[in-house]
Amino acid sequence: MNVLETDLDDAPAPQGQLTLKLLAARQDTNLYGDISGGWLVSHMDQAAELAAGRKAGGRTATVAIEAMDFLSPVRAGSMVSVYTAVREIGRSSIKIDVEVWVRPPHGCSLDERQKVTEARFVMVALDDNGRIRAVQDDNA
């Protein structure tokens, strides 16, 4: 693809569907007033589980998180939006791409947002006894 085939004015946008939206609170910060990476990962995992559970038709669990980079700190008071997209469904596993976007606490407009991290979560479907089972994709 060359420069003529792309629109350089396009603003980056989240991929997937909005799965979680929450406020980054002061109690979730480190000593410098930034939200901890663990807090973000926890909510990303929760969003991946919600998305995978819909596809699997029930309980799922995280078995892997592929490479994750934190692009910028998240300040207390930011509105955090977690987006998910199902990328691959295997016999018992589901790969979910997860992106986190934030709107800063003192943003100039409601459209002002920035991506702060992304990762691919690998989830497996589980039966009622916690054993791996085949994905029952009733929503395909």
Side-chain angles (χ1 to χ4, degrees), residues 98-138:
V98 182
E99 293 184 356
V100 177
W101 290 70
V102 299
R103 185 168 42 94
H106 305 294
C108 297
S109 84
L110 292 176
D111 293 334
E112 181 183 343
R113 62 185 173 196
Q114 69 183 84
K115 184 178 185 179
V116 294
T117 190
E118 67 182 348
R120 178 164 288 170
F121 283 69
V122 181
M123 315 296 287
V124 293
L126 299 175
D127 66 16
D128 291 337
N129 296 316
R131 290 190 214 102
I132 294 175
R133 65 169 172 83
V135 171
Q136 299 168 353
D137 187 2
D138 298 331

mmCIF file of all heavy atoms in Angstrom, residues 98-138:
data_model
loop_
_atom_site.group_PDB
_atom_site.id
_atom_site.type_symbol
_atom_site.label_atom_id
_atom_site.label_comp_id
_atom_site.label_asym_id
_atom_site.label_seq_id
_atom_site.Cartn_x
_atom_site.Cartn_y
_atom_site.Cartn_z
ATOM 1 N N VAL A 98 -7.287 -7.248 22.700
ATOM 2 C CA VAL A 98 -7.814 -6.298 23.673
ATOM 3 C C VAL A 98 -7.020 -4.998 23.563
ATOM 4 O O VAL A 98 -5.793 -5.020 23.561
ATOM 5 C CB VAL A 98 -7.707 -6.853 25.110
ATOM 6 C CG1 VAL A 98 -8.304 -5.874 26.118
ATOM 7 C CG2 VAL A 98 -8.393 -8.220 25.218
ATOM 8 N N GLU A 99 -7.740 -3.890 23.441
ATOM 9 C CA GLU A 99 -7.126 -2.559 23.408
ATOM 10 C C GLU A 99 -7.706 -1.714 24.541
ATOM 11 O O GLU A 99 -8.896 -1.820 24.834
ATOM 12 C CB GLU A 99 -7.437 -1.832 22.101
ATOM 13 C CG GLU A 99 -6.834 -2.431 20.882
ATOM 14 C CD GLU A 99 -7.106 -1.606 19.628
ATOM 15 O OE1 GLU A 99 -7.833 -0.579 19.683
ATOM 16 O OE2 GLU A 99 -6.585 -1.992 18.577
ATOM 17 N N VAL A 100 -6.856 -0.876 25.123
ATOM 18 C CA VAL A 100 -7.308 0.067 26.150
ATOM 19 C C VAL A 100 -7.085 1.476 25.634
ATOM 20 O O VAL A 100 -5.975 1.839 25.230
ATOM 21 C CB VAL A 100 -6.556 -0.125 27.481
ATOM 22 C CG1 VAL A 100 -7.004 0.914 28.507
ATOM 23 C CG2 VAL A 100 -6.762 -1.541 28.018
ATOM 24 N N TRP A 101 -8.147 2.246 25.635
ATOM 25 C CA TRP A 101 -8.118 3.653 25.243
ATOM 26 C C TRP A 101 -8.600 4.480 26.421
ATOM 27 O O TRP A 101 -9.461 4.036 27.184
ATOM 28 C CB TRP A 101 -9.035 3.895 24.041
ATOM 29 C CG TRP A 101 -8.517 3.289 22.779
ATOM 30 C CD1 TRP A 101 -8.432 1.958 22.463
ATOM 31 C CD2 TRP A 101 -7.996 3.990 21.651
ATOM 32 N NE1 TRP A 101 -7.889 1.798 21.216
ATOM 33 C CE2 TRP A 101 -7.621 3.026 20.689
ATOM 34 C CE3 TRP A 101 -7.827 5.349 21.357
ATOM 35 C CZ2 TRP A 101 -7.070 3.370 19.460
ATOM 36 C CZ3 TRP A 101 -7.287 5.683 20.134
ATOM 37 C CH2 TRP A 101 -6.911 4.706 19.202
ATOM 38 N N VAL A 102 -8.023 5.675 26.577
ATOM 39 C CA VAL A 102 -8.452 6.549 27.676
ATOM 40 C C VAL A 102 -8.800 7.936 27.163
ATOM 41 O O VAL A 102 -8.278 8.400 26.147
ATOM 42 C CB VAL A 102 -7.373 6.668 28.783
ATOM 43 C CG1 VAL A 102 -7.074 5.322 29.407
ATOM 44 C CG2 VAL A 102 -6.121 7.328 28.286
ATOM 45 N N ARG A 103 -9.704 8.543 27.893
ATOM 46 C CA ARG A 103 -9.999 9.964 27.721
ATOM 47 C C ARG A 103 -9.468 10.628 28.981
ATOM 48 O O ARG A 103 -9.883 10.289 30.087
ATOM 49 C CB ARG A 103 -11.496 10.210 27.567
ATOM 50 C CG ARG A 103 -11.832 11.662 27.255
ATOM 51 C CD ARG A 103 -13.276 11.842 26.814
ATOM 52 N NE ARG A 103 -14.216 11.073 27.589
ATOM 53 C CZ ARG A 103 -14.881 11.526 28.644
ATOM 54 N NH1 ARG A 103 -14.717 12.752 29.064
ATOM 55 N NH2 ARG A 103 -15.726 10.754 29.285
ATOM 56 N N PRO A 104 -8.483 11.542 28.830
ATOM 57 C CA PRO A 104 -7.861 12.168 30.009
ATOM 58 C C PRO A 104 -8.894 12.907 30.859
ATOM 59 O O PRO A 104 -9.936 13.331 30.358
ATOM 60 C CB PRO A 104 -6.853 13.144 29.412
ATOM 61 C CG PRO A 104 -6.654 12.714 28.001
ATOM 62 C CD PRO A 104 -7.922 12.035 27.583
ATOM 63 N N PRO A 105 -8.587 13.082 32.160
ATOM 64 C CA PRO A 105 -9.560 13.718 33.056
ATOM 65 C C PRO A 105 -9.898 15.153 32.662
ATOM 66 O O PRO A 105 -10.995 15.617 32.936
ATOM 67 C CB PRO A 105 -8.882 13.670 34.422
ATOM 68 C CG PRO A 105 -7.455 13.375 34.161
ATOM 69 C CD PRO A 105 -7.378 12.685 32.839
ATOM 70 N N HIS A 106 -8.983 15.833 32.013
ATOM 71 C CA HIS A 106 -9.231 17.226 31.640
ATOM 72 C C HIS A 106 -9.165 17.388 30.137
ATOM 73 O O HIS A 106 -8.615 18.357 29.627
ATOM 74 C CB HIS A 106 -8.231 18.158 32.328
ATOM 75 C CG HIS A 106 -8.225 17.981 33.814
ATOM 76 N ND1 HIS A 106 -9.311 18.300 34.593
ATOM 77 C CD2 HIS A 106 -7.291 17.480 34.646
ATOM 78 C CE1 HIS A 106 -9.032 18.012 35.858
ATOM 79 N NE2 HIS A 106 -7.817 17.511 35.914
ATOM 80 N N GLY A 107 -9.722 16.414 29.418
ATOM 81 C CA GLY A 107 -9.716 16.456 27.964
ATOM 82 C C GLY A 107 -10.519 17.636 27.444
ATOM 83 O O GLY A 107 -11.507 18.047 28.041
ATOM 84 N N CYS A 108 -10.065 18.153 26.325
ATOM 85 C CA CYS A 108 -10.730 19.317 25.730
ATOM 86 C C CYS A 108 -12.064 18.945 25.101
ATOM 87 O O CYS A 108 -12.968 19.752 25.062
ATOM 88 C CB CYS A 108 -9.829 19.954 24.676
ATOM 89 S SG CYS A 108 -8.291 20.586 25.370
ATOM 90 N N SER A 109 -12.175 17.725 24.583
ATOM 91 C CA SER A 109 -13.427 17.319 23.962
ATOM 92 C C SER A 109 -13.720 15.873 24.304
ATOM 93 O O SER A 109 -12.830 15.112 24.687
ATOM 94 C CB SER A 109 -13.361 17.505 22.441
ATOM 95 O OG SER A 109 -12.755 16.393 21.835
ATOM 96 N N LEU A 110 -14.974 15.488 24.146
ATOM 97 C CA LEU A 110 -15.361 14.114 24.433
ATOM 98 C C LEU A 110 -14.736 13.129 23.443
ATOM 99 O O LEU A 110 -14.651 11.949 23.715
ATOM 100 C CB LEU A 110 -16.883 13.982 24.412
ATOM 101 C CG LEU A 110 -17.609 14.707 25.548
ATOM 102 C CD1 LEU A 110 -19.113 14.581 25.380
ATOM 103 C CD2 LEU A 110 -17.179 14.161 26.893
ATOM 104 N N ASP A 111 -14.305 13.623 22.276
ATOM 105 C CA ASP A 111 -13.692 12.763 21.274
ATOM 106 C C ASP A 111 -12.197 12.560 21.507
ATOM 107 O O ASP A 111 -11.581 11.726 20.854
ATOM 108 C CB ASP A 111 -13.905 13.352 19.870
ATOM 109 C CG ASP A 111 -15.360 13.320 19.474
ATOM 110 O OD1 ASP A 111 -16.100 12.454 19.984
ATOM 111 O OD2 ASP A 111 -15.766 14.160 18.655
ATOM 112 N N GLU A 112 -11.610 13.347 22.418
ATOM 113 C CA GLU A 112 -10.179 13.228 22.680
ATOM 114 C C GLU A 112 -9.909 11.918 23.424
ATOM 115 O O GLU A 112 -10.446 11.683 24.497
ATOM 116 C CB GLU A 112 -9.696 14.398 23.530
ATOM 117 C CG GLU A 112 -8.218 14.357 23.819
ATOM 118 C CD GLU A 112 -7.764 15.492 24.718
ATOM 119 O OE1 GLU A 112 -8.506 16.469 24.865
ATOM 120 O OE2 GLU A 112 -6.676 15.376 25.269
ATOM 121 N N ARG A 113 -9.111 11.052 22.821
ATOM 122 C CA ARG A 113 -8.781 9.776 23.444
ATOM 123 C C ARG A 113 -7.450 9.291 22.897
ATOM 124 O O ARG A 113 -7.017 9.711 21.828
ATOM 125 C CB ARG A 113 -9.870 8.744 23.209
ATOM 126 C CG ARG A 113 -10.069 8.438 21.755
ATOM 127 C CD ARG A 113 -11.217 7.502 21.511
ATOM 128 N NE ARG A 113 -11.434 7.408 20.076
ATOM 129 C CZ ARG A 113 -12.502 6.944 19.517
ATOM 130 N NH1 ARG A 113 -13.477 6.511 20.274
ATOM 131 N NH2 ARG A 113 -12.620 6.889 18.222
ATOM 132 N N GLN A 114 -6.816 8.409 23.658
ATOM 133 C CA GLN A 114 -5.552 7.851 23.202
ATOM 134 C C GLN A 114 -5.449 6.397 23.637
ATOM 135 O O GLN A 114 -5.961 5.991 24.677
ATOM 136 C CB GLN A 114 -4.370 8.652 23.714
ATOM 137 C CG GLN A 114 -4.141 8.534 25.210
ATOM 138 C CD GLN A 114 -3.011 9.403 25.663
ATOM 139 O OE1 GLN A 114 -3.205 10.586 25.912
ATOM 140 N NE2 GLN A 114 -1.829 8.830 25.793
ATOM 141 N N LYS A 115 -4.775 5.622 22.799
ATOM 142 C CA LYS A 115 -4.538 4.213 23.089
ATOM 143 C C LYS A 115 -3.385 4.118 24.068
ATOM 144 O O LYS A 115 -2.349 4.757 23.874
ATOM 145 C CB LYS A 115 -4.205 3.484 21.790
ATOM 146 C CG LYS A 115 -4.027 2.006 21.920
ATOM 147 C CD LYS A 115 -3.750 1.488 20.522
ATOM 148 C CE LYS A 115 -3.670 0.027 20.430
ATOM 149 N NZ LYS A 115 -3.435 -0.393 19.042
ATOM 150 N N VAL A 116 -3.559 3.309 25.129
ATOM 151 C CA VAL A 116 -2.493 3.186 26.120
ATOM 152 C C VAL A 116 -1.864 1.801 26.171
ATOM 153 O O VAL A 116 -0.726 1.663 26.609
ATOM 154 C CB VAL A 116 -2.954 3.617 27.533
ATOM 155 C CG1 VAL A 116 -3.269 5.096 27.556
ATOM 156 C CG2 VAL A 116 -4.124 2.806 28.019
ATOM 157 N N THR A 117 -2.577 0.777 25.717
ATOM 158 C CA THR A 117 -1.993 -0.560 25.660
ATOM 159 C C THR A 117 -2.871 -1.485 24.825
ATOM 160 O O THR A 117 -4.037 -1.172 24.554
ATOM 161 C CB THR A 117 -1.758 -1.170 27.064
ATOM 162 O OG1 THR A 117 -0.978 -2.359 26.941
ATOM 163 C CG2 THR A 117 -3.056 -1.468 27.779
ATOM 164 N N GLU A 118 -2.279 -2.612 24.427
ATOM 165 C CA GLU A 118 -3.021 -3.655 23.726
ATOM 166 C C GLU A 118 -2.322 -4.976 23.964
ATOM 167 O O GLU A 118 -1.127 -5.010 24.282
ATOM 168 C CB GLU A 118 -3.106 -3.371 22.224
ATOM 169 C CG GLU A 118 -1.771 -3.442 21.516
ATOM 170 C CD GLU A 118 -1.863 -3.121 20.033
ATOM 171 O OE1 GLU A 118 -2.974 -3.054 19.498
ATOM 172 O OE2 GLU A 118 -0.803 -2.920 19.422
ATOM 173 N N ALA A 119 -3.066 -6.065 23.824
ATOM 174 C CA ALA A 119 -2.500 -7.402 23.961
ATOM 175 C C ALA A 119 -3.463 -8.413 23.360
ATOM 176 O O ALA A 119 -4.643 -8.114 23.157
ATOM 177 C CB ALA A 119 -2.256 -7.748 25.427
ATOM 178 N N ARG A 120 -2.955 -9.589 23.087
ATOM 179 C CA ARG A 120 -3.801 -10.698 22.647
ATOM 180 C C ARG A 120 -3.897 -11.675 23.816
ATOM 181 O O ARG A 120 -2.887 -12.121 24.352
ATOM 182 C CB ARG A 120 -3.223 -11.395 21.429
ATOM 183 C CG ARG A 120 -4.080 -12.584 20.990
ATOM 184 C CD ARG A 120 -3.752 -13.032 19.609
ATOM 185 N NE ARG A 120 -4.251 -12.023 18.669
ATOM 186 C CZ ARG A 120 -3.960 -12.030 17.378
ATOM 187 N NH1 ARG A 120 -3.203 -12.957 16.863
ATOM 188 N NH2 ARG A 120 -4.442 -11.091 16.588
ATOM 189 N N PHE A 121 -5.127 -11.980 24.217
ATOM 190 C CA PHE A 121 -5.396 -12.923 25.298
ATOM 191 C C PHE A 121 -5.815 -14.249 24.677
ATOM 192 O O PHE A 121 -6.631 -14.273 23.760
ATOM 193 C CB PHE A 121 -6.511 -12.407 26.213
ATOM 194 C CG PHE A 121 -6.074 -11.339 27.174
ATOM 195 C CD1 PHE A 121 -5.725 -10.079 26.723
ATOM 196 C CD2 PHE A 121 -6.017 -11.599 28.525
ATOM 197 C CE1 PHE A 121 -5.325 -9.088 27.600
ATOM 198 C CE2 PHE A 121 -5.614 -10.616 29.422
ATOM 199 C CZ PHE A 121 -5.264 -9.359 28.960
ATOM 200 N N VAL A 122 -5.258 -15.331 25.189
ATOM 201 C CA VAL A 122 -5.651 -16.668 24.753
ATOM 202 C C VAL A 122 -6.474 -17.272 25.883
ATOM 203 O O VAL A 122 -5.987 -17.421 27.011
ATOM 204 C CB VAL A 122 -4.427 -17.552 24.433
ATOM 205 C CG1 VAL A 122 -4.887 -18.925 23.949
ATOM 206 C CG2 VAL A 122 -3.527 -16.875 23.405
ATOM 207 N N MET A 123 -7.722 -17.592 25.555
ATOM 208 C CA MET A 123 -8.661 -18.120 26.533
ATOM 209 C C MET A 123 -9.018 -19.552 26.148
ATOM 210 O O MET A 123 -8.982 -19.902 24.968
ATOM 211 C CB MET A 123 -9.945 -17.280 26.541
ATOM 212 C CG MET A 123 -9.733 -15.773 26.536
ATOM 213 S SD MET A 123 -8.921 -15.143 28.001
ATOM 214 C CE MET A 123 -10.245 -15.290 29.193
ATOM 215 N N VAL A 124 -9.364 -20.382 27.138
ATOM 216 C CA VAL A 124 -9.877 -21.722 26.856
ATOM 217 C C VAL A 124 -11.250 -21.865 27.482
ATOM 218 O O VAL A 124 -11.539 -21.274 28.531
ATOM 219 C CB VAL A 124 -8.955 -22.862 27.352
ATOM 220 C CG1 VAL A 124 -7.660 -22.893 26.586
ATOM 221 C CG2 VAL A 124 -8.726 -22.782 28.836
ATOM 222 N N ALA A 125 -12.092 -22.635 26.806
ATOM 223 C CA ALA A 125 -13.421 -22.932 27.323
ATOM 224 C C ALA A 125 -13.294 -24.003 28.404
ATOM 225 O O ALA A 125 -12.488 -24.934 28.272
ATOM 226 C CB ALA A 125 -14.321 -23.417 26.192
ATOM 227 N N LEU A 126 -14.083 -23.858 29.477
ATOM 228 C CA LEU A 126 -14.048 -24.811 30.590
ATOM 229 C C LEU A 126 -15.441 -25.363 30.854
ATOM 230 O O LEU A 126 -16.447 -24.659 30.681
ATOM 231 C CB LEU A 126 -13.544 -24.133 31.865
ATOM 232 C CG LEU A 126 -12.140 -23.539 31.837
ATOM 233 C CD1 LEU A 126 -11.862 -22.809 33.144
ATOM 234 C CD2 LEU A 126 -11.104 -24.612 31.583
ATOM 235 N N ASP A 127 -15.483 -26.615 31.321
ATOM 236 C CA ASP A 127 -16.767 -27.180 31.727
ATOM 237 C C ASP A 127 -17.027 -26.810 33.193
ATOM 238 O O ASP A 127 -16.230 -26.094 33.814
ATOM 239 C CB ASP A 127 -16.816 -28.690 31.480
ATOM 240 C CG ASP A 127 -15.838 -29.495 32.336
ATOM 241 O OD1 ASP A 127 -15.314 -28.969 33.349
ATOM 242 O OD2 ASP A 127 -15.597 -30.667 31.996
ATOM 243 N N ASP A 128 -18.110 -27.325 33.748
ATOM 244 C CA ASP A 128 -18.483 -26.992 35.132
ATOM 245 C C ASP A 128 -17.486 -27.501 36.166
ATOM 246 O O ASP A 128 -17.466 -27.026 37.296
ATOM 247 C CB ASP A 128 -19.879 -27.542 35.448
ATOM 248 C CG ASP A 128 -20.972 -26.808 34.686
ATOM 249 O OD1 ASP A 128 -20.742 -25.646 34.276
ATOM 250 O OD2 ASP A 128 -22.061 -27.392 34.504
ATOM 251 N N ASN A 129 -16.662 -28.474 35.776
ATOM 252 C CA ASN A 129 -15.645 -29.021 36.687
ATOM 253 C C ASN A 129 -14.276 -28.379 36.491
ATOM 254 O O ASN A 129 -13.297 -28.824 37.079
ATOM 255 C CB ASN A 129 -15.543 -30.539 36.501
ATOM 256 C CG ASN A 129 -16.834 -31.227 36.892
ATOM 257 O OD1 ASN A 129 -17.429 -30.904 37.915
ATOM 258 N ND2 ASN A 129 -17.280 -32.158 36.064
ATOM 259 N N GLY A 130 -14.201 -27.365 35.623
ATOM 260 C CA GLY A 130 -12.942 -26.677 35.392
ATOM 261 C C GLY A 130 -12.025 -27.366 34.402
ATOM 262 O O GLY A 130 -10.855 -27.012 34.293
ATOM 263 N N ARG A 131 -12.549 -28.346 33.663
ATOM 264 C CA ARG A 131 -11.749 -29.045 32.651
ATOM 265 C C ARG A 131 -11.950 -28.382 31.291
ATOM 266 O O ARG A 131 -13.035 -27.896 30.978
ATOM 267 C CB ARG A 131 -12.146 -30.512 32.579
ATOM 268 C CG ARG A 131 -11.709 -31.285 33.805
ATOM 269 C CD ARG A 131 -11.892 -32.792 33.604
ATOM 270 N NE ARG A 131 -12.241 -33.376 34.880
ATOM 271 C CZ ARG A 131 -13.480 -33.728 35.246
ATOM 272 N NH1 ARG A 131 -14.482 -33.628 34.426
ATOM 273 N NH2 ARG A 131 -13.687 -34.237 36.440
ATOM 274 N N ILE A 132 -10.901 -28.414 30.490
ATOM 275 C CA ILE A 132 -10.984 -27.827 29.147
ATOM 276 C C ILE A 132 -12.022 -28.594 28.326
ATOM 277 O O ILE A 132 -12.083 -29.823 28.371
ATOM 278 C CB ILE A 132 -9.595 -27.866 28.468
ATOM 279 C CG1 ILE A 132 -8.639 -26.949 29.231
ATOM 280 C CG2 ILE A 132 -9.703 -27.450 26.997
ATOM 281 C CD1 ILE A 132 -7.207 -27.001 28.737
ATOM 282 N N ARG A 133 -12.825 -27.850 27.603
ATOM 283 C CA ARG A 133 -13.874 -28.430 26.756
ATOM 284 C C ARG A 133 -13.840 -27.787 25.395
ATOM 285 O O ARG A 133 -13.176 -26.780 25.191
ATOM 286 C CB ARG A 133 -15.259 -28.237 27.381
ATOM 287 C CG ARG A 133 -15.664 -26.760 27.464
ATOM 288 C CD ARG A 133 -17.128 -26.590 27.827
ATOM 289 N NE ARG A 133 -17.458 -25.201 28.081
ATOM 290 C CZ ARG A 133 -17.753 -24.312 27.127
ATOM 291 N NH1 ARG A 133 -17.736 -24.644 25.863
ATOM 292 N NH2 ARG A 133 -18.054 -23.078 27.446
ATOM 293 N N ALA A 134 -14.582 -28.356 24.457
ATOM 294 C CA ALA A 134 -14.688 -27.768 23.117
ATOM 295 C C ALA A 134 -15.517 -26.495 23.187
ATOM 296 O O ALA A 134 -16.436 -26.377 23.994
ATOM 297 C CB ALA A 134 -15.344 -28.774 22.173
ATOM 298 N N VAL A 135 -15.161 -25.553 22.336
ATOM 299 C CA VAL A 135 -15.926 -24.310 22.237
ATOM 300 C C VAL A 135 -17.263 -24.621 21.606
ATOM 301 O O VAL A 135 -17.350 -25.292 20.579
ATOM 302 C CB VAL A 135 -15.157 -23.269 21.382
ATOM 303 C CG1 VAL A 135 -16.022 -22.051 21.094
ATOM 304 C CG2 VAL A 135 -13.863 -22.860 22.065
ATOM 305 N N GLN A 136 -18.322 -24.122 22.226
ATOM 306 C CA GLN A 136 -19.676 -24.292 21.700
ATOM 307 C C GLN A 136 -20.094 -22.949 21.128
ATOM 308 O O GLN A 136 -20.760 -22.158 21.787
ATOM 309 C CB GLN A 136 -20.639 -24.724 22.793
ATOM 310 C CG GLN A 136 -20.275 -26.041 23.406
ATOM 311 C CD GLN A 136 -21.062 -26.319 24.667
ATOM 312 O OE1 GLN A 136 -21.792 -25.492 25.173
ATOM 313 N NE2 GLN A 136 -20.892 -27.527 25.193
ATOM 314 N N ASP A 137 -19.666 -22.685 19.926
ATOM 315 C CA ASP A 137 -19.908 -21.375 19.314
ATOM 316 C C ASP A 137 -21.328 -21.301 18.759
ATOM 317 O O ASP A 137 -21.577 -21.549 17.597
ATOM 318 C CB ASP A 137 -18.877 -21.120 18.209
ATOM 319 C CG ASP A 137 -18.963 -19.725 17.664
ATOM 320 O OD1 ASP A 137 -19.782 -18.929 18.163
ATOM 321 O OD2 ASP A 137 -18.220 -19.412 16.722
ATOM 322 N N ASP A 138 -22.269 -20.967 19.641
ATOM 323 C CA ASP A 138 -23.675 -20.841 19.246
ATOM 324 C C ASP A 138 -23.961 -19.529 18.549
ATOM 325 O O ASP A 138 -25.019 -19.351 17.979
ATOM 326 C CB ASP A 138 -24.571 -20.936 20.494
ATOM 327 C CG ASP A 138 -24.429 -22.278 21.196
ATOM 328 O OD1 ASP A 138 -24.137 -23.274 20.502
ATOM 329 O OD2 ASP A 138 -24.598 -22.320 22.424
#
